[in-house]
Structures are given as structure tokens and as C-alpha cells.
């Protein structure tokens, strides 16, 4: 454990030095994750499982819910075709239930649209949208953007009804960079012809990993005969296999090579916009939670002085009081005079009421007083009615 | 098409007579203009309606003042904003010094310390010096900015008593000084008589805008005195006692883009089965935090909220140290201390989307880890047991008085007011750190150390001035870049609707930015800070207006695709008809002309 922690410290220093040497003066403040599943319908179970697996990984490595935006276009866990209600698996051995008891979905169902997705990235929400649905990153944030679903040449299909074009994505990233909403961005896309989605990207600080090249399909990994559909995609499966072996103290690098024979497609890395070399980028840069911390050396003793001051003021004899104290006394007496004046000017009626109020407050047993007065009232009524 | 014009019946050409006009090449009557007129009138009416159609499908775009935006960004980039400051040095008990010479030396010292670059937020310095000789005769540089009554400060009686009292009395002395434009900062150097306290020099910086250096035999150490005075002016009053480079680092400006800051205080009982602690937060808020929030009002609109949480273990580990008799966690554990999965801190209902939230956490360890202390890399135990994370907030680990669990049932306790005050003192130190200041009240340099008096408001007045200046710079810079991005975005999408609201916000933002710049040149630090904050928040509102979505604008292709099925077929027919009529008219006209010439020649 100690060695691990030393290594982490060294890695963090390396990270920091790399960040500063890359010409950027901002420090890495936090990590965010935007995980998007864009397909609906039961036979796209695997896309949901992809996204939920990555959600689980990212949470396990330390990114909290408040910094994860999870967008699921359909509900598989509570789907009527699901043999295992409220459970989502990414493997036929059913070992891990991805839909455990701590899943926070920010955009669900029909809320997952191209417009909402671009609003999340650019930050242009209506005023009423709550903070949990916003990407509140700052200029020191590293953002992981993972998208999965069905895609094609320069587009990604959303909800079977609309498309996200590569130039829309590039435009959104450009606006994010202009508004300094991220320091580094890692885009991972697991769809068919995923690499084409990155064709129009221009902004620096973006690293993109796609699961297949133009003209290639991305395939699912295996079919779960119990559930009846494929439960995970190949690219995500091999990515997860890598992450399952890590914990938050590890310093493995992002330089992962995917075997094209296992993937049945060629994984594509777009690194020309990203300055640090991949082998020097630790995984915790995007997938973990790293806080920059500074020790507080001392407290700010603002109040001990106040106590000693008040003590001294009471001790000093009268003729040593500074001018300011005299001024303050004058001011106080002025206030008192004003109060007296205003009291005299108050209405005598309200004075009487105030006196009565005070007297009533002083009476201990109000209940008996009330009962007594009710009895008196009844008596008066009887007497007056008998007189009439 | 029917031929309605008359044309002569084809006759055989008889020999001897003039040949009958060939209907294909000649006609005897002038061709009529009716048909041409009708078709061209229809075409003309179409064409004349085109501008109306164009106007009706025009995208409404509010006119943004692109030129003003560009000039603002150029202005901010080219000339860094500087504020006027007045420095006044008062030398008491110096016999033989010429104030003008002193002034030039201090000016040299100041220039040396500020260096060549003028960064945004620095001071346009004007220095004035007054010298009071031991016989209480004064000489001052001309023009005198301060009406200091000679002899008010007595050389011998100075410095006796508490530093706070000295500070207050100095404020009375200099209270009458208006100081020209900008705020006046003063340093009083008192040369006491020999043999009063040895050789030591005491330097104190007060809570207002005054500092004093007291020592004996200072006339001999003339160079050092001038050096220290320049240091106080530049390093302390101008830079706030912080070492920073050229750029203004955004991670020490935790103010949201709408100018609001939410301080979220949480008391974390990590294992309520051992003990439960509660606090009277209302008292802290009203008594101790209210002055701080009021002092920072020009910089940020601060609101405070608090919560108490239970079952919140930390995610890093600690080890038992036998020598120190406590559980130890190290600085290397700090990045992993905050257990974001189980600490549900971000539950603020009052913060809007663009405010900044700072989390202040008081962590009470469980019985298994009590007492819990932070060990620094050099082996010492931390005095505060706390740390900050820039732009996130801070954590303090507070150990209960006695770590023994009394009985099975958990005890409910309130944190005592004295402990609360100590906690709030650490909070104030951390709050200052989050804004880029040091948490301790001392400034050390090669020439010596300066004691800084702590203020109840968390920041002394000169520190608030530094904050105002830095934040004005940052806000104006951010406003200019945001407006620049907005104008580039709007110009790159010529068919995107720009609502009136956006135009208004841009206009007001530019106005507020100009106001901030003019306030800065007049020396009003806090007014320039608040108007720059307004400028930035208006610019951000305009940029992040939800209607500027590139997905939902109407491109030319869209417009064409929508309107062409209506107009293209009809327009095609009308144009074709007019062309055909025109061609026919020309033909017939030519035929008529050849017939006329034939007639003439015949």
C-alpha cells in the first residue's frame, strides 16, 4: 500500500509537471463523466449494458454521482421483456448486477435527444434545469465522454428518430473549448464506423478513441441465451476487462492496444489534438477522482483578538479611553435619547395594550384565567338575556 | 395554343401577280400585344411579390454591437487595467532627510519590485513622503496629498500598547486624508531613541490601510528602511502578500459566473453509533460569518447554508501511531479523503445552475479512529487538522473531547461555542486560502517579517482592495472573451434567431464593463468590482441563453426545401409562358417587318 501511494504521488507529480509543461497554467481540479446510451428497444440491450458497465467502473474508481451525467434512452431493467426484473447484466454468467441500488440516471427515456445532449455539452439549459442535470465543469476539469449505440458514416443515431452529426459534435466541442469548460476531453465511441464521428474535431486537448474505422462494423461480444439478446459489445468488453483489474490507487497508463482479431474491427485512436503521449497518461486522468489538496497551515485568529480587546476595554480606566470610545459613548447616548423621544411620541393606546400584554405574559396559569373569564361571560349573557 | 390572330388563307401563287405573303415568314397585320402583356404582368406580379416573401421569411436577429465587442476585447488585451493608488510614507524622528530624495528612492525601490511588466490589477503609483524631525518640524513633498498635522504622532509614545490600539489611532490620524484619487496606503517609520529596545525592528501591518515600522537607530540603516518601505507598498499593499506570477489564476477565484457564491457547511458524523454531534449554526452564521459575507459583497453575492449528515465514513485509511497516541493520516492520503460516494454534499436547493458552491466540511471521526490527526511530510502534526481543495472547498477533522464511548447508546452532544469559534477560525483561514491568500497572518521576506493584524471580517481592508482589483481584472477579461465568443458564434451562423433578450444583455454588459473601467480609473475599487461582476454575469447570460442552439436554426437548404414545392411549379409555368409569348411576339414582329419591307419594295 505504501509503495502504491508513493507511486501515486510520483504519478501525480508527473501529471502535474506534464500539465504545466504543456503550456497550460490551469491545474487539474476534477473529473467528469458523460455517459450516453442512444438506442432504444429491447434488442439494443447491449448498449444499455455497455453504458451501465462504464458507469459502474467510473464510480468504482472514484468519480461521484454528482459529477456523472448518465443518459439512458430506454429502460431495460424494468422492461416487460426482462426475465430478471430490475437487473441488468453485461455477462452471461450474471455475476454483476449493473443496476444495483445506487444508480442515478440523469436523463432517461425520451429525454435523451440530440438537443439535450448538445445542451449538456454546451451548458445552454433553461433556467429551471436542476444542477444534477448540468455539466458543471470548469477550466480544470477532465471529461470522459462515452457514447454507444448505432452509428454510421459521420453520424450517430439517437432514439431511432434523429441523428447526431459529426459536425454538430465538433461544433459543441469547439464551443466548450472556447468557454473553457474542460481541460482535457476523452471521447470513447462504441458504434459502427465510430472513427468517422471524429472527422471534424479541431479543438486541442481532445483525445478520441473509436471502436471501428470507416466501413467496419462493431460487433457484440456474446449472446446471453437466458435473456435472449446480446449483452455486451466487444470494444466495451475488452475495455472493461482492463479496468476491472484496477483500483483507485493504480497508475496504469491509457496506452491500451486492442487486438483487432478479438474486436473484429480496428480500434482507432485520434491523438493529434492531444499533447501528452498516451503511454504517459495515467488512467486516473479521466477515470478516477483526483483532488488537488493544500494543507491549511494555521487558523486565522480573528476572534481571539476580539475577546482580548473587549477585556482590555473594560480594564482601562476612564481617562485612558481613546477618542473613539468617547465618540462611541456619545453615539450610544444619542441613540438612547432618540429612543426616549420616540417612546414619548408613541400612542398611549398602544402603550396600554403593550402593558396589558406584558401583564398577561406574567400570569402563570393562563388556562384557569381563560376558563374563569368564559364562566364570567356566560354569566353575563344569562343575566342580560334574563333582563331582556 | 390557338392562333387567334388573323392570318391570310394560304393561296396559290399565281404567276404575274405579286406573290402572296407566306404566313410562315410574313404577316400583314401588326401583331397584338395583349398576350404578351398578360403573361408579363403575371410574371411581374410574381417578381414584385418576391421581396415581400423574402421579408416574411426573414430570421429575426437582434442587432448585436459587434464593433463595440471587438473594441472592448482589443482594449482589454492591449492595455492591462491599472488602478490609481497613493502611497504615503511618514518618517518620524529622522533628522537629516530630504523628503524629495526619499521619495525618489522609494520610487526606485517600488519600480524594482514591480518589474517591467505591468499586469492587470496593479497600481499606478503616486508616492508622497513626509518627514518629521525629532523637534517636531515637518517637511513634505510637494504636492501634499495628506494634511497630516505635524506632531500628532509622538516619537517616544508610539508603539506602546496593543497593536490594535495603535492601528485605530493611526486611522484617526490619517482619517482626514483624502489622498487624491484611489485609496491611500500609508507606512509610518518611527525612529525611536537609542537604547529603547535594542536593534530589533518591528513591522506591523494593520487592518485598515496603514502599516508601521518601529525601531531604533534607523537613520543609519537608511537603505534597509527604504527597502522595507517599498516592500510593504508593493508586496503587501499592492499584491496582498501572495506570490503570484503574471497570470491571474482562475482556480483562486471561486465566484460563479452569475456572481454568486454558496458556502455549504456540512457536519459529518462518520459513525453515529459512537456519538452524534450537532452545532448551533445560526449563531455562527449571524455572529461570525455575517461580517465576512458583508465584506465580500462587492466581489460575490454570498449565501450560506448548512446541513448535518450521518454515516459518512472517509475513504482513505489511517494508522495508529504509538508515540503520538493517535491515529495518523498523511498528506498523501488527502486526495482520497473525501468519499464522494457516501458524502452527499451537493444537495443545495438554493444554488442556481451557474453559482459556485464551496463545500466546508467538518468531519468527526468514528470511535475506531479517534483521535485522528494529520501528519505533515516533515513529521509534525498539523495544528489545524484541515486542508483545502481549490474550487471545491475544505475539510476540517475535529476530534471530540474524549474518545471513550461511555455507554452503548450513542451520546448526543452539541459542539461548545468555544470549539465552534476555533473551528470557524480555521474555516476563515481556509476561506482565505481558497481566495488565494495565506491562512496565517504573517508575511516574511528576506528583509524581515511583517506581522499582519487579523480582522474580524476575514479580510483586512487592504486585502479586500487587492481582491477587488484582481476580481475586476478577471471579470472584465472573462466578459470580453465571452462576448467575443458570442459574436463569433452569431456571425458564423447567419440564419440563427437572436432574440431581443440577448441583444439587451449584451448591451447592458458592455455598459457595465465601461462603467467598471471608468470606476477603476477613478480609483473606486469596490464599485469597479461590482460593476465588472455584473458585466460578466450579463455576458454569461447572453452566451448561455438556451435559444442559441446550432441544431435549431434554419439553414438556406431548409428554407429552399420548404418553399420550393409551393412556388417552383407555378413560377416555372409563368416564366415559361412569358418567355414563349415574348419569343412569339418577336417572331410575329419580324414577320410583319418583312411584309412591310416587301410592300415597300413592291
Amino acid at each position: 500500500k505504501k509503495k502504491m501511494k508513493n507511486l501515486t504521488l510520483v504519478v501525480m507529480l508527473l501529471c502535474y509537471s506534464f500539465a504545466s509543461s504543456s503550456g497550460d497554467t490551469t491545474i487539474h481540479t476534477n473529473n467528469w463523466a458523460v455517459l450516453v446510451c442512444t438506442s432504444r428497444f429491447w434488442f439494443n440491450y447491449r448498449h444499455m449494458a455497455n453504458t451501465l458497465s462504464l458507469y459502474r467502473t467510473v464510480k468504482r474508481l472514484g468519480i461521484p454521482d454528482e459529477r456523472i451525467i448518465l443518459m439512458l434512452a430506454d429502460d431495460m431493467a424494468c422492461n416487460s421483456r426482462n426475465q430478471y426484473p430490475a437487473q441488468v447484466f453485461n455477462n452471461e454468467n450474471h455475476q454483476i448486477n449493473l443496476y444495483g441500488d445506487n444508480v442515478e440516471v440523469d436523463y432517461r427515456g425520451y429525454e435523451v435527444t440530440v438537443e439535450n445532449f448538445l445542451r449538456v455539452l454546451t451548458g445552454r439549459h433553461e433556467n429551471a434545469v436542476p444542477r444534477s442535470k448540468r455539466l458543471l465543469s470548469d477550466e480544470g476539469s477532465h471529461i470522459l465522454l462515452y457514447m454507444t449505440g448505432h452509428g454510421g458514416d459521420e453520424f450517430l443515431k439517437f432514439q431511432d428518430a434523429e441523428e447526431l452529426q459529426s459536425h454538430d459534435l465538433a461544433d459543441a466541442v469547439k464551443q466548450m473549448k472556447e468557454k473553457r469548460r474542460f481541460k482535457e476531453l476523452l471521447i470513447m465511441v462504441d458504434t459502427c464506423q465510430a472513427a468517422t464521428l471524429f472527422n471534424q474535431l479541431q479543438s486541442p486537448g481532445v483525445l478520441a478513441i473509436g471502436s471501428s474505422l470507416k466501413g467496419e462494423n462493431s460487433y457484440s461480444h456474446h449472446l446471453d441465451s437466458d435473456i435472449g439478446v446480446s449483452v455486451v459489445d466487444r470494444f466495451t468488453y475488452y475495455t472493461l476487462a482492463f479496468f476491472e483489474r484496477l483500483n483507485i490507487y493504480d497508475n496504469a497508463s491509457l496506452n491500451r492496444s486492442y487486438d483487432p482479431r478479438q474486436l473484429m474491427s480496428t480500434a482507432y485512436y485520434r491523438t493529434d489534438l492531444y499533447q501528452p503521449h498516451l503511454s504517459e497518461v495515467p488512467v486516473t486522468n479521466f477515470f478516477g477522482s483526483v483532488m488537488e489538496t493544500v494543507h491549511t497551515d494555521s487558523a486565522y485568529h480573528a476572534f481571539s483578538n476580539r475577546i482580548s480587546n473587549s477585556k482590555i476595554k473594560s480594564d482601562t480606566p476612564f481617562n485612558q479611553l481613546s477618542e473613539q470610545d468617547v465618540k462611541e459613548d456619545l453615539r450610544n447616548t444619542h441613540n438612547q435619547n432618540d429612543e426616549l423621544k420616540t417612546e414619548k411620541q408613541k400612542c398611549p393606546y398602544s402603550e396600554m395594550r403593550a402593558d396589558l400584554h406584558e401583564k398577561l405574559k406574567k400570569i402563570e396559569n393562563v388556562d384557569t384565567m381563560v376558563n374563569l373569564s368564559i364562566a364570567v361571560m356566560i354569566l353575563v349573557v344569562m343575566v342580560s338575556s334574563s333582563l331582556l | 395554343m390557338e392562333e387567334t390572330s388573323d392570318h391570310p388563307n394560304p393561296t396559290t401563287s399565281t404567276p404575274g401577280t405579286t406573290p402572296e405573303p407566306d404566313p410562315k415568314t410574313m404577316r400583314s397585320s401588326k401583331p397584338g400585344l395583349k398576350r404578351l402583356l398578360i403573361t408579363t404582368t403575371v410574371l411581374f406580379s410574381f417578381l414584385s411579390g418576391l421581396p415581400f416573401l423574402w421579408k416574411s421569411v426573414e430570421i429575426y436577429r437582434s442587432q448585436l454591437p459587434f464593433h463595440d465587442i471587438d473594441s472592448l476585447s482589443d482594449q482589454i488585451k492591449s492595455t492591462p487595467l491599472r488602478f490609481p493608488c497613493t502611497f504615503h510614507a511618514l518618517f518620524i524622528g529622522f533628522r537629516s532627510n530630504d523628503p524629495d530624495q526619499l521619495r525618489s528612492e522609494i520610487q526606485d525601490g517600488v519600480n524594482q519590485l514591480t518589474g517591467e511588466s505591468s499586469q492587470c490589477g496593479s497600481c499606478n503609483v503616486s508616492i508622497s513622503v513626509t518627514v518629521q524631525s525629532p523637534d517636531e518640524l515637518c517637511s513634505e513633498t510637494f504636492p501634499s496629498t495628506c494634511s497630516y498635522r505635524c506632531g500628532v504622532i509622538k516619537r517616544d509614545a508610539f508603539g506602546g500598547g496593543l497593536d490594535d490600539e495603535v492601528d485605530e489611532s493611526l486611522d484617526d490620524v490619517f482619517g482626514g486624508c483624502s489622498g487624491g484619487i484611489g485609496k491611500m496606503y500609508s507606512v509610518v517609520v518611527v525612529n525611536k531613541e537609542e537604547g529603547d529596545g535594542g536593534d530589533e525592528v518591528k513591522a506591523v501591518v494593520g487592518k485598515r490601510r496603514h502599516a508601521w515600522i518601529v525601531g531604533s537607530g534607523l537613520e543609519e540603516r537608511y537603505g534597509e528602511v527604504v527597502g522595507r518601505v517599498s516592500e510593504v507598498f508593493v508586496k503587501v499593499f499592492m499584491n496582498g502578500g501572495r506570490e503570484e506570477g503574471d497570470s491571474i489564476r482562475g482556480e483562486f477565484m471561486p465566484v460563479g459566473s452569475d456572481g454568486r457564491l454558496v458556502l455549504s457547511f456540512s457536519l459529518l458524523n462518520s459513525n453515529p453509533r459512537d456519538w452524534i454531534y450537532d452545532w448551533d449554526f445560526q449563531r455562527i452564521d449571524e455572529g461570525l460569518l455575517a461580517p465576512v459575507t458583508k465584506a465580500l459583497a462587492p466581489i460575490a453575492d454570498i449565501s450560506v447554508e448548512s446541513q448535518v449528515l450521518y454515516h459518512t465514513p472517509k475513504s482513505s485509511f489511517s494508522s495508529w501511531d504509538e508515540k503520538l497516541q493517535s491515529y495518523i493520516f498523511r498528506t498523501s492520503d488527502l486526495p482520497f479523503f473525501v468519499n464522494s460516494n457516501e458524502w452527499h454534499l451537493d444537495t443545495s436547493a438554493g444554488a442556481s445552475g451557474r453559482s459556485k458552491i464551496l463545500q466546508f466540511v467538518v468531519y468527526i471521526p468514528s470511535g475506531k479512529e479517534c483521535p485522528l490527526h494529520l501528519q505533515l511530510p516533515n513529521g509534525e502534526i498539523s495544528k489545524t487538522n484541515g486542508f483545502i481543495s481549490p474550487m471545491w472547498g475544505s475539510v476540517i477533522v475535529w476530534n471530540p473531547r474524549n474518545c471513550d464511548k461511555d455507554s452503548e447508546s450513542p451520546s448526543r452532544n452539541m459542539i461548545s461555542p468555544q470549539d465552534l469559534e476555533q473551528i470557524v477560525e480555521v474555516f476563515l483561514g481556509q476561506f482565505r486560502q481558497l481566495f488565494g491568500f495565506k491562512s496565517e497572518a504573517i508575511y516574511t521576506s528576506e528583509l524581515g517579517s511583517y506581522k499582519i493584524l487579523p480582522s474580524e471580517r476575514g479580510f483586512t481592508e487592504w486585502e479586500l482592495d487587492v481582491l477587488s482589483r484582481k476580481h475586476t481584472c478577471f471579470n472584465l477579461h472573462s466578459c470580453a472573451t465571452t462576448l467575443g465568443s458570442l459574436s463569433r458564434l452569431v456571425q458564423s451562423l447567419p440564419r440563427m434567431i437572436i432574440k431581443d433578450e440577448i441583444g439587451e444583455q449584451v448591451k447592458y454588459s458592455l455598459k457595465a464593463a465601461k462603467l467598471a473601467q471608468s470606476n477603476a480609473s477613478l480609483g473606486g475599487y469596490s464599485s469597479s468590482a461590482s460593476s465588472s461582476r455584473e458585466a460578466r454575469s450579463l455576458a454569461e447570460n447572453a452566451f448561455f441563453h438556451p435559444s442559441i442552439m446550432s441544431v435549431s436554426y434554419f439553414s438556406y437548404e431548409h428554407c429552399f426545401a420548404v418553399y420550393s414545392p409551393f412556388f417552383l411549379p407555378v413560377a416555372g409555368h409563368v416564366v415559361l409562358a412569358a418567355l414563349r409569348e415574348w419569343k412569339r411576339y418577336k417572331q410575329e414582329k419580324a414577320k410583319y417587318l418583312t411584309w412591310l419591307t416587301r410592300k415597300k419594295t413592291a
Side-chain angles (χ1 to χ4, degrees):
Chain A
K1 255 306 120 74
K2 271 192 193 167
K3 222 169 43 166
M4 279 297 193
K5 287 187 194 162
N6 285 340
L7 275 171
T8 337
L9 203 60
V10 167
V11 158
M12 283 193 322
L13 280 171
L14 266 175
C15 281
Y16 184 67
S17 63
F18 277 125
S20 51
S21 66
S22 68
D24 214 350
T25 50
T26 50
I27 57 174
H28 172 199
T29 45
N30 51 28
N31 283 348
W32 279 81
V34 179
L35 310 170
V36 185
C37 165
T38 58
S39 319
R40 51 175 38 241
F41 307 129
W42 174 248
F43 50 82
N44 290 321
Y45 184 100
R46 62 188 185 284
H47 297 141
M48 201 72 52
N50 286 349
T51 318
L52 282 170
S53 325
L54 230 89
Y55 173 75
R56 181 181 162 274
T57 301
V58 142
K59 267 184 85 160
R60 196 173 58 81
L61 291 176
I63 303 187
D65 267 319
E66 59 204 29
R67 290 204 286 271
I68 301 178
I69 305 236
L70 179 60
M71 302 173 79
L72 298 180
D74 199 0
D75 187 7
M76 297 305 165
C78 302
N79 197 313
S80 45
R81 281 167 154 180
N82 193 358
Q83 270 261 350
Y84 298 86
Q87 287 167 311
V88 175
F89 304 110
N90 67 349
N91 200 311
E92 59 179 351
N93 56 21
H94 293 192
Q95 267 191 342
I96 308 173
N97 173 18
L98 300 171
Y99 214 76
D101 40 355
N102 202 5
V103 171
E104 187 185 294
V105 182
D106 297 304
Y107 288 84
R108 60 183 72 243
Y110 288 108
E111 289 175 351
V112 180
T113 57
V114 173
E115 188 189 330
N116 280 348
F117 173 66
L118 291 178
R119 280 188 194 278
V120 165
L121 285 187
T122 53
R124 296 207 168 89
H125 298 275
E126 302 282 334
N127 282 343
V129 171
R131 285 175 73 92
S132 60
K133 280 183 156 177
R134 293 180 189 235
L135 179 63
L136 300 167
S137 55
D138 52 48
E139 52 185 12
S141 307
H142 288 186
I143 304 183
L144 163 71
L145 172 60
Y146 174 81
M147 302 173 70
T148 180
H150 288 291
D153 194 0
E154 306 227 4
F155 72 90
L156 202 149
K157 192 168 73 156
F158 263 69
Q159 300 262 18
D160 216 18
E162 48 181 4
E163 294 163 359
L164 172 76
Q165 310 248 3
S166 60
H167 64 80
D168 283 329
L169 182 65
D171 196 44
V173 171
K174 187 173 90 158
Q175 284 190 39
M176 284 172 83
K177 191 67 191 175
E178 273 218 39
K179 213 53 203 64
R180 296 171 132 216
R181 278 165 73 74
F182 67 91
K183 183 164 175 274
E184 290 177 14
L185 174 64
L186 169 62
I187 310 183
M188 288 177 77
V189 178
D190 187 358
T191 68
C192 303
Q193 305 190 52
T196 56
L197 203 63
F198 312 135
N199 279 349
Q200 316 263 1
L201 286 176
Q202 302 273 355
S203 323
V206 178
L207 174 64
I209 305 178
S211 62
S212 51
L213 294 173
K214 175 168 167 156
E216 290 180 356
N217 292 333
S218 291
Y219 295 97
S220 63
H221 190 257
H222 61 265
L223 173 79
D224 183 344
S225 39
D226 216 355
I227 296 184
V229 283
S230 308
V231 286
V232 70
D233 277 335
R234 284 178 184 258
F235 178 75
T236 309
Y237 179 83
Y238 290 111
T239 311
L240 289 172
F242 169 65
F243 279 112
E244 282 298 312
R245 283 178 265 130
L246 299 180
N247 60 27
I248 57 177
Y249 298 107
D250 274 333
N251 62 342
S253 83
L254 263 188
N255 194 14
R256 197 151 146 61
S257 49
Y258 293 90
D259 185 1
R261 280 170 318 194
Q262 280 179 322
L263 273 190
M264 290 165 67
S265 61
T266 321
Y268 166 74
Y269 283 68
R270 182 163 176 189
T271 51
D272 58 328
L273 299 167
Y274 191 67
Q275 256 186 336
H277 197 251
L278 262 190
S279 54
E280 294 152 3
V281 177
V283 156
T284 49
N285 232 13
F286 294 102
F287 285 91
S289 171
V290 178
M291 286 176 85
E292 161 99 6
T293 53
V294 178
H295 172 245
T296 308
D297 293 316
S298 74
Y300 189 68
H301 299 287
F303 305 119
S304 41
N305 280 354
R306 186 177 65 175
I307 299 174
S308 53
N309 266 352
S310 54
K311 278 203 196 133
I312 282 172
K313 278 210 175 111
S314 58
D315 283 346
T316 48
F318 184 79
N319 53 5
Q320 278 187 19
L321 274 176
S322 58
E323 257 187 52
Q324 193 144 15
D325 283 337
V326 173
K327 274 192 215 148
E328 246 179 54
D329 282 336
L330 280 174
R331 249 183 275 138
N332 280 343
T333 45
H334 259 290
N335 284 346
Q336 279 173 2
N337 285 340
D338 288 342
E339 268 173 41
L340 285 171
K341 276 192 210 149
T342 49
E343 271 191 38
K344 280 187 192 144
Q345 284 166 3
K346 256 199 258 180
C347 181
Y349 170 69
S350 52
E351 259 194 1
M352 199 170 66
R353 273 185 59 186
D355 284 338
L356 197 65
H357 202 68
E358 277 193 28
K359 278 198 197 130
L360 277 175
K361 271 202 231 168
K362 285 186 198 146
I363 297 175
E364 296 230 328
N365 215 344
V366 186
D367 285 336
T368 49
M369 176 87 185
V370 168
N371 291 340
L372 209 65
S373 49
I374 290 177
V376 165
M377 270 188 348
I378 294 176
L379 210 65
V380 164
V381 161
M382 283 194 333
V383 163
S384 57
S385 60
S386 66
L387 280 176
L388 282 171
Chain B
M1 266 198 305
E2 278 197 36
E3 289 278 326
T4 50
S5 64
D6 300 322
H7 64 273
N9 292 327
T11 53
T12 52
S13 56
T14 53
T17 59
T18 53
E20 285 298 323
D22 181 5
K24 284 209 172 42
T25 52
M26 286 185 281
R27 55 178 286 145
S28 56
S29 57
K30 204 165 177 232
L33 279 173
K34 266 191 296 192
R35 287 167 56 148
L36 182 63
L37 270 176
I38 290 171
T39 47
T40 49
T41 311
V42 174
L43 177 66
F44 182 67
S45 65
F46 258 68
L47 288 175
S48 67
L50 211 59
F52 291 102
L53 175 68
W54 188 254
K55 187 89 178 118
S56 69
V57 302
E58 194 186 53
I59 295 289
Y60 181 73
R61 278 166 77 93
S62 153
Q63 276 296 15
L64 292 186
F66 297 122
H67 183 70
D68 291 335
I69 296 173
D70 288 333
S71 68
L72 177 69
S73 357
D74 289 334
Q75 210 179 22
I76 290 193
K77 271 204 222 37
S78 58
T79 52
L81 195 64
R82 303 188 78 189
F83 295 78
C85 312
T86 320
F87 291 151
H88 182 243
L90 176 59
F91 292 86
I92 308 255
F94 282 76
R95 243 170 288 264
S96 57
N97 289 33
D98 174 26
D100 289 307
Q101 191 198 8
L102 273 175
R103 173 163 73 176
S104 63
E105 290 194 3
I106 296 178
Q107 182 87 51
D108 290 337
V110 164
N111 289 344
Q112 205 181 28
L113 285 173
T114 50
E116 286 308 314
S117 65
S118 60
Q119 29 163 316
C120 184
S122 59
C123 275
N124 256 341
V125 172
S126 63
I127 304 181
S128 68
V129 175
T130 307
V131 180
Q132 176 178 310
S133 67
D135 326 319
E136 305 198 358
L137 292 170
C138 287
S139 53
E140 47 191 19
T141 53
F142 184 80
S144 64
T145 51
C146 185
S147 52
Y148 162 67
R149 281 192 348 250
C150 205
V152 168
I153 298 183
K154 306 231 180 301
R155 170 194 190 186
D156 303 319
F158 191 84
L162 283 181
D163 291 327
D164 283 317
E165 289 175 356
V166 177
D167 196 27
E168 294 293 315
S169 61
L170 267 185
D171 195 48
D172 290 331
V173 168
F174 289 116
C177 294
S178 59
I181 51 171
K183 299 284 194 292
M184 192 182 81
Y185 300 95
S186 49
V187 175
V188 179
V189 184
V190 179
N191 184 15
K192 292 190 119 145
E193 279 174 6
E194 306 293 317
D196 259 0
D199 260 354
E200 61 173 57
V201 176
K202 184 169 119 168
V204 182
V205 182
K207 287 190 266 202
R208 307 293 169 93
R209 298 185 178 92
H210 319 292
W212 59 93
I213 302 176
V214 182
S216 53
L218 290 179
E219 261 194 276
E220 289 77 38
R221 292 184 279 175
Y222 176 71
E224 187 192 318
V225 166
V226 166
R228 288 197 87 164
V229 168
S230 339
E231 220 177 42
V232 169
F233 281 147
V234 175
K235 290 275 165 61
V236 178
F237 285 142
M238 205 162 95
N239 288 346
R242 33 198 222 176
E243 313 292 333
E244 38 183 52
D246 279 333
S247 62
I248 298 175
R249 301 187 47 162
E251 58 249 9
F252 290 114
M253 309 248 180
V255 181
S257 58
D258 58 355
R260 287 208 218 121
L261 175 59
V262 177
L263 305 180
S264 173
F265 289 84
S266 312
L267 178 64
L268 261 49
N269 291 292
S270 95
N271 192 352
R273 280 188 258 272
D274 295 332
W275 38 65
I276 300 177
Y277 276 89
D278 197 0
W279 56 5
D280 185 3
F281 193 76
Q282 190 109 4
R283 263 185 90 219
I284 306 177
D285 190 18
E286 286 165 6
L288 309 175
L289 289 177
V292 181
T293 47
K294 218 165 77 162
L296 284 176
I299 296 168
D301 183 10
I302 301 183
S303 58
V304 176
E305 47 186 42
S306 76
Q307 61 179 346
V308 181
L309 296 179
Y310 306 94
H311 293 287
T312 52
K314 68 184 197 324
S315 51
S316 70
F317 301 101
S318 60
S319 52
W320 172 258
D321 188 311
E322 198 54 48
K323 199 169 60 160
L324 298 162
Q325 284 288 306
S326 66
Y327 287 89
I328 295 292
F329 67 110
R330 295 184 182 74
T331 46
S332 49
D333 287 321
L334 292 182
F336 307 103
F337 191 90
V338 176
N339 183 0
S340 308
N341 271 325
E342 296 190 51
W343 294 12
H344 296 287
L345 298 171
D346 197 5
T347 52
S348 167
S352 71
R354 288 205 280 281
S355 319
K356 180 85 193 136
I357 296 189
L358 285 180
Q359 313 280 358
F360 292 95
V361 173
V362 178
Y363 179 80
I364 299 182
S366 63
K368 287 196 287 285
E369 287 190 314
C370 176
L372 188 61
H373 286 113
L374 171 62
Q375 188 178 46
L376 299 172
N378 58 6
E380 289 175 8
I381 294 292
S382 156
K383 287 187 294 245
T384 55
N385 239 7
F387 64 95
I388 67 155
S389 177
M391 294 302 263
W392 180 81
S394 71
V395 176
I396 302 176
V397 177
W398 185 77
N399 295 307
R401 291 277 160 173
N402 59 336
C403 284
D404 316 309
K405 287 188 278 189
D406 290 327
S407 56
E408 283 309 312
S409 67
S411 53
R412 290 184 165 270
N413 312 302
M414 286 287 279
I415 302 185
S416 65
Q418 293 88 347
D419 288 331
L420 267 183
E421 252 190 35
Q422 281 179 347
I423 292 177
V424 173
E425 285 190 347
V426 181
F427 271 148
L428 282 181
Q430 291 172 331
F431 191 54
R432 287 163 57 87
Q433 271 187 310
L434 286 168
F435 272 92
F437 289 102
K438 291 208 191 42
S439 60
E440 59 214 353
I442 193 166
Y443 175 70
T444 323
S445 72
E446 301 110 33
L447 293 175
S449 72
Y450 304 85
K451 179 179 161 192
I452 301 180
L453 295 184
S455 151
E456 269 171 18
R457 301 190 299 170
F459 298 91
T460 56
E461 283 190 20
W462 51 270
E463 282 175 342
L464 285 175
D465 290 342
V466 172
L467 267 183
S468 300
R469 293 197 291 261
K470 296 281 181 220
H471 278 255
T472 305
C473 276
F474 178 74
N475 288 341
L476 280 177
H477 183 75
S478 161
C479 170
T481 43
T482 307
L483 286 178
S485 309
L486 178 66
S487 76
R488 276 192 294 277
L489 176 66
V490 162
Q491 284 171 323
S492 70
L493 297 171
R495 287 190 61 82
M496 188 168 71
I497 299 178
I498 310 286
K499 294 201 174 152
D500 269 337
E501 208 181 4
I502 300 175
E504 297 273 313
Q505 283 170 340
V506 170
K507 203 172 68 168
Y508 288 135
S509 171
L510 286 171
K511 216 157 71 163
K514 277 200 185 51
L515 184 64
Q517 284 176 316
S518 70
N519 278 341
S521 63
L522 290 174
Y525 305 144
S526 50
S527 54
S528 70
S530 48
S531 25
S532 70
R533 176 164 66 103
E534 203 185 299
R536 179 181 174 216
S537 95
L538 284 167
E540 300 268 334
N541 281 348
F543 187 82
F544 283 113
H545 198 270
S547 69
I548 309 181
M549 281 300 295
S550 58
V551 174
S552 57
Y553 69 92
F554 302 104
S555 57
Y556 283 118
E557 294 92 355
H558 175 109
C559 203
F560 183 71
V562 164
Y563 290 109
S564 56
F566 295 116
F567 296 114
L568 263 185
V570 179
H573 280 296
V574 167
V575 167
L576 276 175
L579 281 177
R580 219 179 300 184
E581 280 307 313
W582 175 246
K583 213 171 73 172
R584 191 200 145 268
Y585 178 74
K586 275 178 61 172
Q587 264 182 348
E588 296 295 317
K589 190 75 187 262
K591 279 197 226 171
Y592 181 62
L593 281 174
T594 48
W595 183 79
L596 274 179
T597 47
R598 275 300 270 314
K599 212 169 101 172
K600 274 207 189 105
T601 52

